[in-house]
Amino acid sequence: MARRKRKRAKRDEAALPRPNEKRKGSRVVVADDDGEMRALLRGWLEGEGLDVDEVSDGVALVEYLVRCWMEDSKMAGLRLVVTDQRMPGFCGTRIIEAVRLVGEDLPVLLVTAFPEPALVEHALELGVTGVIAKPVDQEDFLARVRAVIGERE
């Protein structure tokens, strides 16, 4: 029996983050293939009292969002998606397209090291909440997050 629990625990550790039903606060999901960037943004967001889930690529983000949509009660706590533009799987703008395709008005902040005018224009046409250039300025980032979270509460 103990062996079975250990195997199960290892599988659970490898699983994608699941929306935590025990949390009652606002939740943000951060998607970036750079672990250091995810950790930095997580620290800032948790410092604001937010619950944070992380994924490391676009495919994992889509899977995470699908799980949230399938369990509508979990979608209610999700306040914001913060996604990198360039990462494996789906890029940030494709994520925004998918979110809008299913009719969600979920706010999305797009983070990019290459904020070219054409990308910014395309992202805004898709309904992105904001485009943030890397290196990310903490005060600007948190001001945008606070504005989004405040609107959705």
Side-chain angles (χ1 to χ4, degrees):
M1 180 80 158
R3 233 182 190 171
R4 246 172 124 183
K5 285 184 180 180
R6 276 184 279 196
K7 280 185 179 181
R8 185 175 178 188
K10 285 182 181 181
R11 274 195 315 245
D12 291 346
E13 289 172 7
L16 295 170
R18 295 195 55 81
N20 188 340
E21 47 250 302
K22 294 179 184 172
R23 293 180 180 162
K24 294 187 180 181
S26 297
R27 193 164 18 91
V28 176
V29 61
V30 175
D32 199 309
D33 56 328
D34 180 345
E36 290 179 13
M37 178 58 72
R38 285 194 319 271
L40 177 69
L41 297 178
R42 172 188 274 281
W44 292 349
L45 293 164
E46 287 178 342
E48 293 291 306
L50 299 168
D51 296 325
V52 182
D53 290 327
E54 299 177 36
V55 294
S56 60
D57 61 49
V59 172
L61 179 57
V62 168
E63 290 172 350
Y64 174 91
L65 292 171
V66 166
R67 270 199 317 272
C68 287
W69 288 319
M70 290 175 69
E71 300 176 41
D72 197 43
S73 62
K74 293 181 181 179
M75 193 66 188
L78 186 59
R79 299 285 184 252
L80 175 65
V81 173
V82 177
T83 182
D84 187 24
Q85 170 59 15
R86 293 187 181 178
M87 59 184 167
F90 298 106
C91 65
T93 50
R94 293 304 292 267
I95 301 297
I96 298 163
E97 289 172 351
V99 168
R100 300 304 178 243
L101 186 65
V102 296
E104 283 295 331
D105 65 346
L106 185 63
V108 179
L109 290 176
L110 182 68
V111 180
T112 181
F114 307 97
E116 296 143 359
L119 170 65
V120 173
E121 182 179 335
H122 180 61
L124 292 172
E125 288 171 358
L126 293 172
V128 72
T129 307
V131 178
I132 299 173
K134 290 181 182 179
V136 178
D137 177 78
Q138 182 178 8
E139 289 181 29
D140 177 54
F141 176 77
L142 291 177
R144 291 177 189 227
V145 168
R146 286 181 201 116
V148 169
I149 300 296
E151 288 174 7
R152 294 189 61 88
E153 290 185 323

